[in-house]
Amino acid sequence: MVYTVQEIRALTPIRNSVEKLAERPDLDLRDVFLCHAWDDRKGVAKELHDLLESKGVSVWFSEKDVGLGVPLLRAIDKGLAKSRVGLVLVTPALLSRLQTEGIADKELSVLLSGERLIPIVHNTTYEALREVSPLLGSRSGLSTAEEPIEDVVTKLAELVTI
């Protein structure tokens, strides 16, 4: 797998954080928390989830981790607390949802407060992202316009797997 200089710069601190958390065997953490727009849950978010899990990455994904009758916000809160890294799947649907300040906006607020956030840009651009969320747009991440989603997943798996 080939990484750009920008990816190395952006992902190295996250890898360091993952390794530091791995030193705490008392924590039962998922590898990643997947933040996505509701509209993407059966499409690209599910594809990303399935590809990550096929690489041995444990993913907190609301579609499988929030049971019937479970309070959604509390389940998300627990998922965020028990994940090493937060992935934000940036799609046109997410950009639209962030402007309405829904659940994805709340997840993003939490993820932006730490140094364990990776944006995954899909079917949109960083320029469009910066118009909606300058803070998230300032974070370097990965883009499916630059490489296939399978390569993005391979990089993510290498990043979060101990």
Side-chain angles (χ1 to χ4, degrees), residues 18-35:
V18 166
E19 289 175 356
K20 190 173 186 176
L21 285 170
E23 295 171 3
R24 300 263 329 262
D26 58 312
L27 298 177
D28 181 26
L29 300 177
R30 299 277 178 101
D31 294 319
V32 299
F33 178 96
L34 179 55
C35 172

Side-chain angles (χ1 to χ4, degrees), residues 2 13 24-25 46 98 101 103 119-120 130 135 137 145-146 151 161:
V2 177
R24 300 263 329 262
K46 174 98 170 75
L98 290 179
E101 299 182 6
I103 291 175
I120 309 300
R130 281 189 282 277
L135 284 173
E146 297 173 10
D151 291 352
T161 304

Side-chain angles (χ1 to χ4, degrees), residues 31-35 83-88 111 116-119:
D31 294 319
V32 299
F33 178 96
L34 179 55
C35 172
S83 298
R84 289 187 181 94
V85 172
L87 302 180
V88 179
L111 293 170
R116 299 178 295 159
L117 167 64
I118 306 166

Side-chain angles (χ1 to χ4, degrees), residues 18-143:
V18 166
E19 289 175 356
K20 190 173 186 176
L21 285 170
E23 295 171 3
R24 300 263 329 262
D26 58 312
L27 298 177
D28 181 26
L29 300 177
R30 299 277 178 101
D31 294 319
V32 299
F33 178 96
L34 179 55
C35 172
H36 60 89
W38 177 256
D39 302 345
D40 294 325
R41 73 189 184 286
K42 293 184 179 179
V44 67
K46 174 98 170 75
E47 179 184 7
L48 181 59
H49 164 270
D50 292 350
L51 287 168
L52 285 165
E53 289 214 328
S54 76
K55 297 276 188 188
V57 176
S58 61
V59 181
W60 193 96
F61 185 52
S62 57
E63 279 50 54
K64 75 165 196 224
D65 287 298
V66 180
L68 206 56
V70 174
L72 180 61
L73 286 177
R74 187 61 189 124
I76 289 169
D77 192 40
K78 289 177 182 178
L80 286 163
K82 294 195 167 275
S83 298
R84 289 187 181 94
V85 172
L87 302 180
V88 179
L89 181 59
V90 181
T91 63
L94 182 82
L95 296 178
S96 174
R97 292 283 182 171
L98 290 179
Q99 295 178 41
T100 64
E101 299 182 6
I103 291 175
D105 184 64
K106 290 172 179 49
E107 293 172 356
L108 179 58
S109 294
V110 171
L111 293 170
L112 281 169
S113 69
E115 292 298 321
R116 299 178 295 159
L117 167 64
I118 306 166
I120 309 300
V121 178
H122 179 75
N123 285 344
T124 190
T125 64
Y126 269 96
E127 292 77 28
L129 173 57
R130 281 189 282 277
E131 289 176 18
V132 174
S133 178
L135 284 173
L136 181 58
S138 71
R139 305 277 180 114
S140 295
L142 302 169
S143 171

